[in-house]
Amino acid sequence: MIAEKITVDSAIATADDSQQVQVMLMLDGGHQCEMALMPDAPLLKELFQALTTEPENSESKLFQIPIEEGKGALYFPPASLVAIATDPPVSPEIIKEPQPFETWEDIAPDEPVHHLEWQLNTYHKLEKLSPNYGKVERIPHVSGPEFLERFYIRNKPVIFTDLMDNWKARSLWNPQYFKDNYGHVTVGAQFNRESNRQYEWYRNKHQKMVQFGEFVDQVLQGGETNDYYMGAYNSNFSREGLKGLLDDIELFPEYLTDTKDIHRTVLWFGPGGAITPLHFDPLNTFLCQVYGRKRVRLIAPYQKHLLRAYGNFFSNIDLENPNFERYPQLKDLDIIELIIEPGEVLLLPVGWWHQVRSLEVSISVSFLNLAFENTFDDL
Ligand SMILES: O=C(O)CCC(=O)C(=O)O
């Protein structure tokens, strides 16, 4: 093909000649086309864009450039532009290929939060395909790495049946033992819980100090009730007078940090009928059942949006009496119900909702000092 030079109608540039840039376009087949443009002319940007776009990504458009004082026009597709020469050189800003994601953020709104719910429901649906869905395994202890792999990192509850076999507490602890050996010690417990459904949220109002012996009498004589409980936040393992109780429990060397941590170990003691309302913990914990049995109702974290959560960790839903009329979404809730027996240890994985009822007078210990990463983002 014969090389041809076309001079373009400079009417497309502005009148201020001194600022104009002389632009020479080299086209396929040796054609050249010369024109004068302002350095910030949109056409100049588009030409550079055509030059830097891969042919397969270039739009199916034609450049149309007036020639011969507007009597004619030169048409060419972006892909036929081979090079651009300018005098003087133009700023790199004009040459820079546009970054699609810089502009995408401006035009795409944030995803509505209900899209997260779609994702959570999808995980739930997939999990339900498993024949083991909703079952919590009961197993003898496994090595630390196996526990990590099979349960901890998978955020999967499990019950260990033999972890407490070497605990003196298993044979020693009962209400009478507490009274006989620690009855004189002042301990923390919650009272008057039946006057207020949100007794965990308003826990400070209900927390009182009492002689351990008096509390034992109340538990033994009061029958089934949720009115008083030595539950969360009692700090009783930190009390000097109760230090002896720590000698009766053992750490799980493969799963827990290697010293007894009085600030991250909790003593639970109360009558049948004591209820810890529905909540989740922002870390993994072990609930170790020493005496009596507890019913635990569990809800997987991906059902959180059904639970009317408040105060970061709590829910207004009572899993023992779900109010389907008021909260119709509860029909989609899958409640995993299990009973932990004396000597069993339940891993309550981070984020799992749980509501716990003591089925009879009950004593438990929970550990928060797991040996694996157990600190997560603040809520
Ligand atoms: O045993 C209980 O009453 C509740 C235990 C519990 O909720 C927990 O350890 O987080």
mmCIF file of all heavy atoms in Angstrom, residues 229 268 276 279 281 285 287 294 348 354 356 364 366, ligand 1:
data_model
loop_
_atom_site.group_PDB
_atom_site.id
_atom_site.type_symbol
_atom_site.label_atom_id
_atom_site.label_comp_id
_atom_site.label_asym_id
_atom_site.label_seq_id
_atom_site.Cartn_x
_atom_site.Cartn_y
_atom_site.Cartn_z
ATOM 1 N N TYR A 229 -28.244 -17.997 90.175
ATOM 2 C CA TYR A 229 -27.278 -18.833 89.453
ATOM 3 C C TYR A 229 -25.897 -18.233 89.669
ATOM 4 O O TYR A 229 -25.726 -17.007 89.612
ATOM 5 C CB TYR A 229 -27.634 -18.818 87.956
ATOM 6 C CG TYR A 229 -26.912 -19.834 87.080
ATOM 7 C CD1 TYR A 229 -26.469 -21.057 87.576
ATOM 8 C CD2 TYR A 229 -26.706 -19.568 85.726
ATOM 9 C CE1 TYR A 229 -25.838 -21.982 86.748
ATOM 10 C CE2 TYR A 229 -26.089 -20.483 84.897
ATOM 11 C CZ TYR A 229 -25.651 -21.688 85.416
ATOM 12 O OH TYR A 229 -25.039 -22.599 84.605
ATOM 13 N N TRP A 268 -19.458 -22.412 87.232
ATOM 14 C CA TRP A 268 -20.918 -22.306 87.080
ATOM 15 C C TRP A 268 -21.550 -23.255 88.085
ATOM 16 O O TRP A 268 -21.195 -24.442 88.126
ATOM 17 C CB TRP A 268 -21.356 -22.732 85.678
ATOM 18 C CG TRP A 268 -20.661 -22.033 84.541
ATOM 19 C CD1 TRP A 268 -19.408 -22.292 84.064
ATOM 20 C CD2 TRP A 268 -21.187 -20.977 83.727
ATOM 21 N NE1 TRP A 268 -19.115 -21.462 83.008
ATOM 22 C CE2 TRP A 268 -20.194 -20.643 82.779
ATOM 23 C CE3 TRP A 268 -22.389 -20.286 83.705
ATOM 24 C CZ2 TRP A 268 -20.368 -19.644 81.817
ATOM 25 C CZ3 TRP A 268 -22.572 -19.301 82.733
ATOM 26 C CH2 TRP A 268 -21.567 -18.985 81.808
ATOM 27 N N THR A 276 -28.977 -20.035 81.046
ATOM 28 C CA THR A 276 -28.147 -18.985 80.441
ATOM 29 C C THR A 276 -28.802 -18.674 79.103
ATOM 30 O O THR A 276 -28.912 -19.547 78.244
ATOM 31 C CB THR A 276 -26.692 -19.466 80.258
ATOM 32 O OG1 THR A 276 -26.163 -19.734 81.560
ATOM 33 C CG2 THR A 276 -25.839 -18.408 79.587
ATOM 34 N N HIS A 279 -27.002 -16.493 73.526
ATOM 35 C CA HIS A 279 -25.919 -15.536 73.263
ATOM 36 C C HIS A 279 -24.819 -16.277 72.517
ATOM 37 O O HIS A 279 -24.873 -17.497 72.378
ATOM 38 C CB HIS A 279 -25.341 -14.995 74.587
ATOM 39 C CG HIS A 279 -24.567 -16.022 75.354
ATOM 40 N ND1 HIS A 279 -25.170 -17.045 76.053
ATOM 41 C CD2 HIS A 279 -23.225 -16.233 75.509
ATOM 42 C CE1 HIS A 279 -24.248 -17.813 76.618
ATOM 43 N NE2 HIS A 279 -23.056 -17.347 76.295
ATOM 44 N N ASP A 281 -20.294 -16.265 72.168
ATOM 45 C CA ASP A 281 -19.069 -15.715 72.741
ATOM 46 C C ASP A 281 -18.123 -15.332 71.618
ATOM 47 O O ASP A 281 -18.035 -16.030 70.612
ATOM 48 C CB ASP A 281 -18.417 -16.752 73.671
ATOM 49 C CG ASP A 281 -19.353 -17.097 74.824
ATOM 50 O OD1 ASP A 281 -19.802 -16.173 75.512
ATOM 51 O OD2 ASP A 281 -19.678 -18.286 74.993
ATOM 52 N N THR A 285 -14.574 -21.479 73.480
ATOM 53 C CA THR A 285 -14.502 -21.867 74.893
ATOM 54 C C THR A 285 -14.814 -23.353 75.040
ATOM 55 O O THR A 285 -15.439 -23.954 74.156
ATOM 56 C CB THR A 285 -15.517 -21.081 75.754
ATOM 57 O OG1 THR A 285 -16.836 -21.454 75.378
ATOM 58 C CG2 THR A 285 -15.369 -19.582 75.599
ATOM 59 N N LEU A 287 -16.801 -25.930 77.617
ATOM 60 C CA LEU A 287 -17.711 -26.049 78.759
ATOM 61 C C LEU A 287 -17.561 -27.469 79.306
ATOM 62 O O LEU A 287 -17.852 -28.447 78.616
ATOM 63 C CB LEU A 287 -19.154 -25.780 78.311
ATOM 64 C CG LEU A 287 -20.217 -25.846 79.401
ATOM 65 C CD1 LEU A 287 -19.956 -24.835 80.516
ATOM 66 C CD2 LEU A 287 -21.617 -25.583 78.809
ATOM 67 N N LYS A 294 -26.690 -30.738 81.658
ATOM 68 C CA LYS A 294 -27.202 -29.490 81.067
ATOM 69 C C LYS A 294 -27.715 -29.762 79.671
ATOM 70 O O LYS A 294 -27.117 -30.568 78.929
ATOM 71 C CB LYS A 294 -26.083 -28.440 80.985
ATOM 72 C CG LYS A 294 -25.845 -27.730 82.299
ATOM 73 C CD LYS A 294 -24.759 -26.689 82.219
ATOM 74 C CE LYS A 294 -24.766 -25.837 83.490
ATOM 75 N NZ LYS A 294 -23.557 -25.027 83.608
ATOM 76 N N LEU A 348 -17.473 -24.959 72.521
ATOM 77 C CA LEU A 348 -18.425 -23.949 72.023
ATOM 78 C C LEU A 348 -17.633 -23.045 71.084
ATOM 79 O O LEU A 348 -16.902 -22.149 71.526
ATOM 80 C CB LEU A 348 -18.992 -23.138 73.191
ATOM 81 C CG LEU A 348 -20.011 -23.853 74.071
ATOM 82 C CD1 LEU A 348 -20.275 -23.079 75.355
ATOM 83 C CD2 LEU A 348 -21.315 -24.086 73.309
ATOM 84 N N HIS A 354 -25.754 -20.058 71.763
ATOM 85 C CA HIS A 354 -26.147 -21.161 72.641
ATOM 86 C C HIS A 354 -27.020 -20.669 73.777
ATOM 87 O O HIS A 354 -26.839 -19.555 74.280
ATOM 88 C CB HIS A 354 -24.931 -21.931 73.174
ATOM 89 C CG HIS A 354 -23.819 -21.085 73.712
ATOM 90 N ND1 HIS A 354 -22.942 -20.378 72.913
ATOM 91 C CD2 HIS A 354 -23.437 -20.841 74.995
ATOM 92 C CE1 HIS A 354 -22.066 -19.741 73.667
ATOM 93 N NE2 HIS A 354 -22.346 -19.991 74.943
ATOM 94 N N VAL A 356 -28.489 -22.383 77.433
ATOM 95 C CA VAL A 356 -28.148 -23.553 78.262
ATOM 96 C C VAL A 356 -29.089 -23.634 79.451
ATOM 97 O O VAL A 356 -29.322 -22.641 80.147
ATOM 98 C CB VAL A 356 -26.682 -23.437 78.758
ATOM 99 C CG1 VAL A 356 -26.293 -24.660 79.588
ATOM 100 C CG2 VAL A 356 -25.723 -23.271 77.577
ATOM 101 N N SER A 364 -20.317 -26.703 86.634
ATOM 102 C CA SER A 364 -19.484 -26.761 85.415
ATOM 103 C C SER A 364 -18.306 -25.804 85.576
ATOM 104 O O SER A 364 -18.342 -24.883 86.393
ATOM 105 C CB SER A 364 -20.241 -26.315 84.165
ATOM 106 O OG SER A 364 -21.589 -26.651 84.192
ATOM 107 N N SER A 366 -15.798 -23.507 82.849
ATOM 108 C CA SER A 366 -15.461 -23.256 81.445
ATOM 109 C C SER A 366 -14.095 -22.600 81.342
ATOM 110 O O SER A 366 -13.665 -21.857 82.223
ATOM 111 C CB SER A 366 -16.542 -22.477 80.715
ATOM 112 O OG SER A 366 -16.803 -21.282 81.353
HETATM 113 O O1 LIG B 1 -23.429 -23.382 81.508
HETATM 114 C C1 LIG B 1 -24.098 -22.389 81.314
HETATM 115 O O2 LIG B 1 -25.100 -22.086 81.952
HETATM 116 C C2 LIG B 1 -23.708 -21.473 80.185
HETATM 117 C C3 LIG B 1 -22.377 -21.694 79.595
HETATM 118 C C4 LIG B 1 -22.088 -20.681 78.572
HETATM 119 O O3 LIG B 1 -22.963 -20.047 78.046
HETATM 120 C C5 LIG B 1 -20.739 -20.389 78.157
HETATM 121 O O4 LIG B 1 -19.807 -21.036 78.630
HETATM 122 O O5 LIG B 1 -20.583 -19.483 77.304
#
